[in-house]
Amino acid sequence: MTSHPSHRFCIAPMMDWTDRHCRFFHRLLTRRALIYTEMITTGAVLHGDRARLLAFDPGEHPVAVQLGGSDPAALAQSARICADLGYDEINLNVGCPSDRVQDGRFGACLMAEPALVGEGVAAMKAAVRIPVTVKCRIGIDDQDPEASLDAFARTVVAAGADALIVHARKAWLDGLSPRENRHIPPLDYDRVYRLKRQNPALEIAINGGIADLAAAATHLRHVDGVMMGRAAYQDPWRLLAVDRELFGAPAPFATPRQAALALVPYIEREVARGTRLNAITRHAVGLFHAVPGARLFRRHLATKGVKPGAGAQTFLDALALVRDDADERTAAA
Ligand SMILES: Cc1cc2nc3c(=O)[nH]c(=O)nc-3n(C[C@H](O)[C@H](O)[C@H](O)COP(=O)(O)O)c2cc1C
């Protein structure tokens, strides 16, 4: 039996953002975080370019794949494929509110169909030995989160879900874009804390608006884990403190610069295979914070990193614009 990865600190699944290059980079910054792929539909897993969509670097572990879908047989088949590829967890998306997703009867609209989600979870659990988890909202539209989240949790837990990751706000399916659905419906952390109190044996991670590691530590007094999305992606320098602050373990690198240098062999390897530099470095532009040259680093990558022929040297040139001594001071602070 595979050991269950910890959900104490997770980096959220984010379409177009948490691709394999992003995940490789994040893994340089934290060894302990559980990282998630972008959502991949069962249709894409079963009929798409599987090798490209599901590829990951062995160094990414522990890494969870997030599936989008609702047909239990398709979910089970997709889960088996992902488990065979070596993913550490299967996560089901019950939180995405986009129209495309609603048409396919999956994502957040499944909050209204706990029985169907339960069938999907049970089918996946029967198909794989790795953990199966669900990422959901506290409710949708005019649902009363008190009742809807309890009913949802009861059903998916009875179906065998190993953990629940709850984005602590509703999704409003009519009238709000996916982007608006990430900040307009109000956050209700207490609702998630109550769910944990009522289900002490269920592993629960909280998500939504967690801005820094201090906030993460506060949530960890109430729930088992936190999932950070935008703050982790936009300010990846935060991730370098995760192992130390949340796990009491040494940071993988003493400074952001050292982590950046560790990315260079990966860049060389990928560029040699035909990957554009920018496809990798676009995830790293926010690596430096509050040090002289951070903005120049960002700008150099945004302008020179997109040019044909850009490669590891372009990245090193950008790095040379960041002041070393200031970098060392930040790390020591
Ligand atoms: C660009 C972007 C893409 C996202 N894609 C997904 C996705 O594929 N699956 C998913 O469950 N949530 C997705 N989300 C939502 C995040 O996982 C997370 O629930 C949300 O951003 C709230 O967390 P945060 O406030 O820490 O960012 C996405 C968010 C962003 C910003």
Side-chain angles (χ1 to χ4, degrees), residues 115-262:
L116 182 60
V117 177
E119 282 174 44
V121 168
M124 290 190 282
K125 282 293 289 182
V128 301
R129 292 160 64 88
I130 56 174
V132 173
T133 64
V134 175
K135 178 168 179 276
C136 66
R137 299 269 183 152
I138 59 173
I140 49 169
D141 297 333
D142 54 6
Q143 281 182 334
D144 167 12
E146 259 350 280
S148 60
L149 187 60
D150 279 346
F152 184 83
R154 225 178 1 256
T155 310
V156 299
V157 169
D162 294 285
L164 217 52
I165 300 154
V166 189
H167 185 173
R169 55 162 61 91
K170 276 184 160 183
W172 294 336
L173 300 182
D174 233 358
L176 288 191
S177 70
R179 192 162 184 278
E180 289 168 329
N181 257 312
R182 285 180 213 127
H183 62 91
I184 293 181
L187 285 161
D188 185 354
Y189 294 136
D190 282 337
R191 178 65 194 92
V192 184
Y193 298 167
R194 279 199 296 285
L195 182 73
K196 176 64 196 175
R197 281 202 297 275
Q198 286 153 6
N199 300 271
L202 172 64
E203 189 171 11
I204 294 179
I206 195 165
N207 167 245
I210 301 171
D212 53 37
L213 298 189
T218 303
H219 286 299
L220 287 171
R221 288 194 228 125
H222 304 275
V223 287
D224 306 288
V226 296
M227 175 178 270
M228 187 183 268
R230 289 161 290 189
Y233 183 84
Q234 285 156 355
D235 301 315
W237 52 269
R238 293 183 194 287
L239 297 175
L240 202 48
V242 164
D243 293 4
R244 197 180 57 233
E245 289 189 20
L246 299 182
F247 293 88
F253 294 98
T255 65
R257 168 176 299 275
Q258 287 176 17
L261 288 172

Side-chain angles (χ1 to χ4, degrees), residues 12-15 17 39 66 93 135 167 182 207-209 229-230:
M14 290 177 281
M15 292 289 282
W17 287 6
M39 180 185 75
Q66 188 188 57
N93 182 330
K135 178 168 179 276
H167 185 173
R182 285 180 213 127
N207 167 245
R230 289 161 290 189

Side-chain angles (χ1 to χ4, degrees), residues 13 63 80 91 130 143 181 187 195 202 248 267 278 289 304 326:
V63 56
R80 196 174 306 118
N91 176 262
I130 56 174
Q143 281 182 334
N181 257 312
L187 285 161
L195 182 73
L202 172 64
I267 291 174
N278 185 53
H289 166 70
K304 302 285 196 301

